[in-house]
Amino acid sequence: MVAKQLTIKQKEWIVDAIAKWIDDDDPAVKIKWNIVIEIVKAITGCEKTRAALSRHPEIKKAYEDRRSDIKPLSKQDSRLAKLEQKNTELKAENEALIEKFKTWAYNARNAVRVPMEEEDLNSPIPNPDAK
């Protein structure tokens, strides 16, 4: 396939994509040229080399700006961020379990039939404000 010249619009899209790029698995990872090459391939359908892309000042500047934006986290900072995320997840799970327990306790106190099924325990608590 013959390599095509990048249009102004394609360059704008590439620069925008580079500026917004974040690694989902580890946000501290810095962008690399192989990622830029994949971005360009996705936008244009053509594979460009690092050297070819470096010749476009706006793409090179976007790449360098993005590289300098991300400060690498130390291992301790990275571990701390993961622990904080896990803590947030556990708090949300705990809140959900507390609400479930409250529902079960209310429904068990107001049981109409015995033995109760799980469906009976999980039925929503009536809203006193609803008429």
Side-chain angles (χ1 to χ4, degrees):
M1 179 188 299
V2 177
K4 297 188 279 183
Q5 293 293 321
L6 295 176
T7 65
I8 293 171
K9 196 65 171 167
Q10 286 174 329
K11 289 179 188 179
E12 289 173 2
W13 290 337
I14 293 165
V15 167
D16 188 51
I18 292 170
K20 293 179 180 175
W21 180 86
I22 294 177
D23 187 312
D24 293 332
D25 295 330
D26 185 359
V29 171
K30 290 189 175 203
I31 195 166
K32 296 185 172 119
W33 276 108
N34 63 331
I35 295 167
V36 175
I37 291 167
E38 289 300 316
I39 290 170
V40 171
K41 187 175 180 181
I43 291 172
T44 65
C46 296
E47 193 164 332
K48 305 281 185 184
T49 64
R50 174 187 174 171
L53 294 172
S54 295
R55 286 192 285 263
H56 297 277
E58 57 272 71
I59 293 174
K60 185 176 181 181
K61 182 174 181 337
Y63 172 80
E64 290 170 349
D65 289 349
R66 189 71 192 123
R67 288 277 300 175
S68 64
D69 280 351
I70 301 174
K71 305 289 185 244
L73 295 175
S74 69
K75 284 186 178 183
Q76 186 175 5
D77 290 340
S78 180
R79 183 171 182 267
L80 180 61
K82 288 178 185 174
L83 289 173
E84 287 173 344
Q85 174 64 31
K86 183 69 173 175
N87 188 29
T88 303
E89 292 169 4
L90 289 172
K91 283 181 180 178
E93 182 181 351
N94 191 40
E95 286 299 316
L97 289 171
I98 288 170
E99 286 304 311
K100 187 174 193 174
F101 174 76
K102 287 178 184 177
T103 301
W104 282 7
Y106 176 86
N107 288 329
R109 277 193 305 264
N110 299 308
V112 176
R113 65 180 185 160
V114 177
M116 292 186 76
E117 300 289 327
E118 188 171 346
E119 300 147 8
D120 299 324
L121 287 172
N122 288 326
S123 62
I125 298 173
N127 185 353
D129 296 333
K131 293 183 181 180

